[in-house]
Amino acid sequence: MPDQLRTSLSQADDAVITVANETLSGHSKKGLVARIMPFFGPAFIASIAYVDPGNFATNIQAGAKYGYLLVWVIVASNLMAMLIQTLSAKLGIATGKNLAECCRDKYPKPVTVTLWILMELVAMATDLAEFLGAALGMYLLFGIPLIWAGFITAIATFLILTMERFGFRPLEAVISAFVGSIALCYLIEMWIGHPDGAQIMHSIINPRFAGTESILLACGILGATVMPHVIFLHSALTAGRIVVKSPEMRRKLMRFQIMDVVLAMSLAGLVNMAMLVTAAAAFHASGHQNVGSIEIAYKALTPLLGPAASWVFGGALLAAGLSSSAVGTMSGQVIMQGFMRTHIAPWLRRLITMLPALLVIMLGTDPTRTLVISQVLLSFGLPFAIIPLVVFTADKKLMGDLVNHKITTVVAAAVASLIVVLNLFLLFETVKGLFA
């Protein structure tokens, strides 16, 4: 495992590696579930970034403004995310290195340093959004002032990160539990809100827009879905987690990792869809089409769907903020170590990255607006993660037997081009709106 995520292996880790190797070699006598479980985990950690507070902001706005119109955008974005995260996982397995390390090996030092600085800014923008989301969740649920909620968030995030000391499996279990709790919260929200299944299916099979603003929101959904920092992180999580040498074993391992990605990203996609359709059922259907912030959404849910809906919403926001903040800090470790061959203690990184969020809180800036601006910064950084990923995974010399099929490379290049174009459009329109 790369240095930035190297931990002492726990008994749970040893058991996972043993069962995984037995499964790959065909010698395992365990049941189907027991055989495949050791391969699940990395994609679930990455999937947290796909249901972070930035997604809350964009999905709520889309559902409130346009109802079920943009459900198809979530489906399309999630399919793109599956492909990208699969390539990231494959890069780690094939090379034993993460994406940042591959960039460092392939590019001149000035390019490497520039990429490192840019990705650090992206990681901090991500952390800003996730930190604010967790603090906002505490404020809405318990009435804790935002500044104190911010400090509690920092402590809670650090406690989550201490799980790294006990190996990779305990941390994967904790993060997966957060993913499950968010999914459960939105399952309850959908049960309370009774979204229109027919309209959901109509949007999926009949994709369309309704003017420029709907295109802008669609770009926002995409920008909040495909996250650059977890592209780096996912490759680190699979590099050295389960080590196999023969081409046949590596291909088997890759098939299991694809299962991990499909399951985790499908769950994240369903949560995103639930966010949008709940907003459509609660706000758009009742004429509340201008719900533009998380705070307003929380307060409006009580009179529309009852107090349970607002509490469940707040709980999901808090879980998403805490877990994604921890994952954001992990991503920052990967980026620094990979590009610069150095790292700082997680508590110090947590301290540094929490300062912008605390400053935003003390200045009284609108949290939802800050979340939207952070998504713009993510959009700017996305091409610098996706393009190297596609190039590296298409390199036969680097990837060996796990090199992309030509069709995979063409599809990945098309997806990368589409994401880059749409995110640049989002960047342009948002910046234009800020100065209008």
Side-chain angles (χ1 to χ4, degrees):
M1 185 174 292
D3 292 341
Q4 77 284 351
L5 291 176
R6 193 180 299 278
T7 58
S8 57
L9 293 179
S10 66
Q11 290 184 343
D13 293 344
D14 289 334
V16 165
I17 294 171
T18 299
V19 174
N21 286 324
E22 290 174 351
T23 300
L24 291 171
S25 64
H27 297 147
S28 177
K29 297 180 181 179
K30 295 182 178 293
L32 176 63
V33 174
R35 291 201 305 271
I36 64 176
M37 282 302 293
F39 303 97
F40 289 172
F44 280 85
I45 291 181
S47 72
I48 276 292
Y50 292 82
V51 291
D52 73 357
N55 295 81
F56 278 70
T58 54
N59 290 330
I60 288 170
Q61 290 180 15
K65 182 76 174 178
Y66 293 104
Y68 302 95
L69 178 73
L70 299 179
V71 170
W72 71 271
V73 177
I74 289 180
V75 175
S77 299
N78 201 60
L79 291 174
M80 294 179 193
M82 285 185 185
L83 175 60
I84 291 167
Q85 294 304 144
T86 297
L87 295 182
S88 178
K90 183 162 67 171
L91 181 69
I93 292 171
T95 65
K97 298 178 181 179
N98 63 59
L99 178 57
E101 290 171 326
C102 291
C103 289
R104 184 188 68 202
D105 291 344
K106 291 288 185 178
Y107 298 143
K109 188 171 183 179
V111 175
T112 299
V113 173
T114 301
L115 284 174
W116 169 62
I117 294 172
L118 181 59
M119 287 303 112
E120 284 286 4
L121 292 174
V122 166
M124 290 185 71
T126 305
D127 207 46
L128 171 64
E130 293 157 351
F131 190 93
L132 278 175
L136 189 57
M138 290 186 191
Y139 166 73
L140 294 174
L141 281 173
F142 310 115
I144 300 173
L146 276 176
I147 187 66
W148 293 112
F151 285 113
I152 295 173
T153 297
I155 295 170
T157 302
F158 179 72
L159 291 175
I160 295 171
L161 288 170
T162 59
M163 299 300 296
E164 284 185 280
R165 291 185 176 185
F166 305 105
F168 62 79
R169 203 55 173 173
L171 180 62
E172 289 174 354
V174 170
I175 297 297
S176 297
F178 274 111
V179 175
S181 66
I182 297 166
L184 177 61
C185 285
Y186 264 94
L187 182 64
I188 296 171
E189 289 279 32
M190 290 185 69
W191 181 74
I192 295 173
H194 301 293
D196 190 325
Q199 290 197 52
I200 294 172
M201 288 305 302
H202 183 263
S203 171
I204 295 173
I205 64 177
N206 184 31
R208 65 199 190 283
F209 293 108
T212 303
E213 191 174 348
S214 67
I215 298 175
L216 188 61
L217 263 177
C219 293
I221 291 172
L222 179 63
T225 301
V226 183
M227 292 289 195
H229 66 297
V230 289
I231 297 175
F232 287 92
L233 178 62
H234 199 168
S235 60
L237 293 172
T238 57
R241 182 178 183 272
I242 298 172
V243 180
V244 291
K245 298 296 184 182
S246 72
E248 182 184 359
M249 296 275 276
R250 296 207 313 172
R251 287 193 291 271
K252 283 184 179 180
L253 175 58
M254 190 61 223
R255 286 196 289 270
F256 281 113
Q257 291 306 140
I258 291 173
M259 292 172 59
D260 184 34
V261 170
V262 170
L263 183 59
M265 294 297 115
S266 295
L267 184 58
L270 290 173
V271 171
N272 276 304
M273 187 183 298
M275 290 180 190
L276 190 149
V277 301
T278 299
F283 305 131
H284 185 81
S286 60
H288 294 75
Q289 299 180 5
N290 294 318
V291 175
S293 73
I294 291 174
E295 304 99 304
I296 294 174
Y298 174 84
K299 293 174 183 176
L301 280 172
T302 297
L304 292 174
L305 300 180
S310 58
W311 273 89
V312 171
F313 173 84
L317 177 63
L318 178 58
L322 287 175
S323 52
S324 60
S325 186
V327 169
T329 303
M330 291 171 62
S331 301
Q333 291 176 268
V334 168
I335 289 167
M336 176 176 281
Q337 188 278 330
F339 280 118
M340 304 306 294
R341 286 194 176 96
T342 187
H343 66 276
I344 59 177
W347 67 267
L348 182 56
R349 174 170 287 277
R350 174 73 278 173
L351 180 63
I352 293 171
T353 55
M354 69 182 272
L355 293 178
L358 291 177
L359 181 61
V360 166
I361 292 171
M362 288 188 289
L363 292 175
T365 305
D366 178 15
T368 301
R369 181 177 175 82
T370 303
L371 287 174
V372 172
I373 293 173
S374 71
Q375 301 308 303
V376 175
L377 293 174
L378 292 178
S379 300
F380 182 74
L382 197 52
F384 301 97
I386 293 180
I387 293 174
L389 177 68
V390 175
V391 171
F392 291 153
T393 53
D395 186 342
K396 173 70 174 177
K397 185 176 180 181
L398 181 66
M399 298 293 292
D401 56 291
L402 291 183
V403 66
N404 289 345
H405 190 281
K406 288 183 179 179
I407 295 176
T408 303
T409 299
V410 170
V411 174
V415 167
S417 300
L418 178 62
I419 290 173
V420 169
V421 169
L422 290 178
N423 276 279
L424 288 175
F425 174 73
L426 172 65
L427 177 65
F428 173 76
E429 290 293 328
T430 305
V431 171
K432 185 175 72 173
L434 291 174
F435 293 98

